[in-house]
Amino acid sequence: MKSHKETPEFALINQYFKQLTTPRQDVVLGVGDDAALLQVSEERLLVVSVDTMVSGVHFFEDVAADALGHKALAVNLSDMAAMGAEPSWATLALTLPEVDEQWIVGFCRGFAGLANRYNVSLVGGDTTRGPLSVTVQIHGMVPKHQVMRRDGAQVGDDIYVTGSLGDAAMGLKFHESSKALTAGQQTLVDRLERPQPRVEAGVALRHLAHSAIDLSDGLLADLGHILTQSGVGASLQLERLPLSAELRAAMGDDMDWSRVVSAGDDYELCLTLPVACREAVAAVARQLSLPISRVGCVEAELGLRCFDKQGKSWHPPQLGFDHFSAG
Ligand code: ADP
Ligand code: MG
């Protein structure tokens, strides 16, 4: 595979919105990473990110209200995790087709579960009438010299991913099925509807990692952002990619790597760390009871190369998800 191609969504951002970034000394990092970095004190950076979820695009119209409340906050917490930030405040802009109090109670229950767990306070927002859409803006803090960015990967780094890959995409398939689900299949649907942001892992690894991103659009696309922005390439060992038992069971004999590496909505972290950190990464994985798998390494040769178990080069048919791509 060649180096990551610019997709229409990013072309739009680069052409029109980047120019609105008036230079200010306190903007350490603007458009282009998982979150912006703003200098508000000597030692710490304010970390800001926003994500919108639209009915029929990001979630099914009949999704459970509490699952939506959870996911709206989870995807934002995931961007904090990717920067190594501790989340602190959120605002919520909610557009509702009608006032359904029972629905709102459910939404708040889902939101509060995560907000309480991460000590995030909802400090404002906006409530309007229209087609259902949820926007959460999140703020967090990170020590200035420990922030993880997309542009810090170095040749020789190991590449890691947390948790397991591809579960949410498989969950989407089962969500659409009309048959009764097994426990394993339901686990995959839960991975789609209730992603667990890896905030603890981001904080635990931030003083060691050279770069990080969260996996929202698939490993190839998202790792591609790290590589492009760091000016490096990489190779991936497919058999090292972490797959859950539930995903293996669902795939059966029909192991399809292209689905795993381009599967969106996992909200795991992809990080690069120097080889000297292997022991430390293993210790964090044990401490958090979270698999953190070494899946490849950063190389000087640009582009991303994938290898199968036999060491044979493997070429993926498609990249991750883009909102404005024609296909
Ligand atoms: P993520 O998947 O981590 O949420 P995105 O892929 O949505 O990030 O966005 C990539 C970068 O472009 C981010 O830094 C984001 O803040 C920025 N961005 C996206 N849309 C806009 C916009 N309309 N105006 C300014 N910046 C934008
Ligand atoms: Mg992100």
Side-chain angles (χ1 to χ4, degrees):
M1 194 182 116
K2 292 279 172 287
S3 68
H4 181 67
K5 246 194 20 241
E6 196 178 51
T7 53
E9 188 180 338
F10 295 107
L12 271 183
I13 296 165
N14 285 333
Q15 188 176 352
Y16 296 107
F17 302 122
K18 259 199 173 161
Q19 64 186 355
L20 301 180
T21 330
T22 308
R24 283 178 58 105
Q25 285 222 312
D26 50 9
V27 180
V28 174
L29 181 62
V31 173
D33 214 303
D34 288 298
L37 298 174
L38 309 171
Q39 180 95 53
V40 289
S41 84
E42 267 302 298
E43 309 80 39
R44 292 196 299 176
L45 298 171
L46 178 63
V47 187
V48 181
S49 177
V50 65
D51 267 299
T52 294
M53 297 176 58
V54 177
S55 178
V57 179
H58 300 93
F59 57 88
F60 296 104
E61 266 139 64
D62 62 349
V63 67
D66 67 321
L68 186 59
H70 172 102
K71 189 160 179 178
L73 184 54
V75 300
N76 278 277
L77 290 172
S78 180
D79 281 323
M80 293 292 101
M83 308 304 289
E86 269 131 353
S88 43
W89 312 285
T91 60
L92 168 66
L94 203 50
T95 303
L96 299 168
E98 62 188 351
V99 176
D100 173 346
E101 282 199 37
Q102 207 186 337
W103 188 93
I104 294 172
V105 167
F107 180 90
C108 289
R109 192 181 336 113
F111 191 98
L114 269 183
N116 292 338
R117 181 159 144 214
Y118 290 108
N119 196 24
V120 170
S121 181
L122 182 67
V123 294
D126 197 19
T127 308
T128 50
R129 189 187 286 269
L132 180 59
S133 120
V134 187
T135 298
V136 173
Q137 186 189 36
I138 188 113
H139 303 77
M141 298 282 208
V142 65
K144 194 170 150 187
H145 297 293
Q146 297 189 0
V147 66
M148 301 191 292
R149 303 167 47 138
R150 294 178 180 179
D151 60 6
Q154 293 178 23
V155 173
D157 280 358
D158 288 324
I159 301 171
Y160 292 89
V161 295
T162 62
S164 56
L165 300 178
D167 293 341
M170 187 60 91
L172 183 62
K173 202 178 127 193
F174 288 119
H175 182 280
E176 285 160 352
S177 120
S178 50
K179 292 190 210 131
L181 300 183
T182 65
Q185 292 166 344
Q186 186 57 49
T187 301
L188 297 171
V189 174
D190 288 345
R191 290 269 291 155
L192 172 71
E193 293 191 334
R194 292 168 204 274
Q196 298 300 317
R198 302 306 186 187
V199 176
E200 295 88 347
V203 169
L205 294 169
R206 68 187 180 191
H207 65 295
L208 301 172
H210 283 159
S211 70
I213 190 168
D214 73 323
L215 299 177
S216 51
D217 297 336
L219 178 62
L220 291 189
D222 290 323
L223 175 58
H225 295 312
I226 287 188
L227 302 180
T228 308
Q229 295 191 26
S230 302
V232 294
S235 65
L236 284 180
Q237 309 295 326
L238 294 176
E239 85 278 4
R240 285 182 169 268
L241 298 180
L243 306 183
S244 68
E246 291 82 7
L247 182 68
R248 285 182 190 278
M251 281 197 166
D253 295 333
D254 191 40
M255 182 62 225
D256 182 357
W257 289 115
S258 62
R259 291 184 52 186
V260 175
V261 294
S262 60
D265 258 17
D266 281 324
Y267 297 101
E268 297 293 348
L269 293 185
C270 174
L271 314 100
T272 78
L273 288 97
V275 173
C277 294
R278 284 183 188 177
E279 265 306 305
V281 173
V284 168
R286 280 195 300 275
Q287 183 204 333
L288 299 179
S289 301
L290 173 71
I292 305 178
S293 309
R294 182 159 55 84
V295 298
C297 66
V298 176
E299 297 169 346
E301 186 188 339
L302 298 185
L304 183 51
R305 293 157 290 280
C306 300
F307 297 95
D308 67 12
K309 207 160 39 191
Q310 285 78 37
K312 252 186 41 210
S313 173
W314 176 87
H315 299 273
Q318 56 171 5
L319 267 184
F321 186 75
D322 186 291
H323 278 277
F324 296 99
S325 68

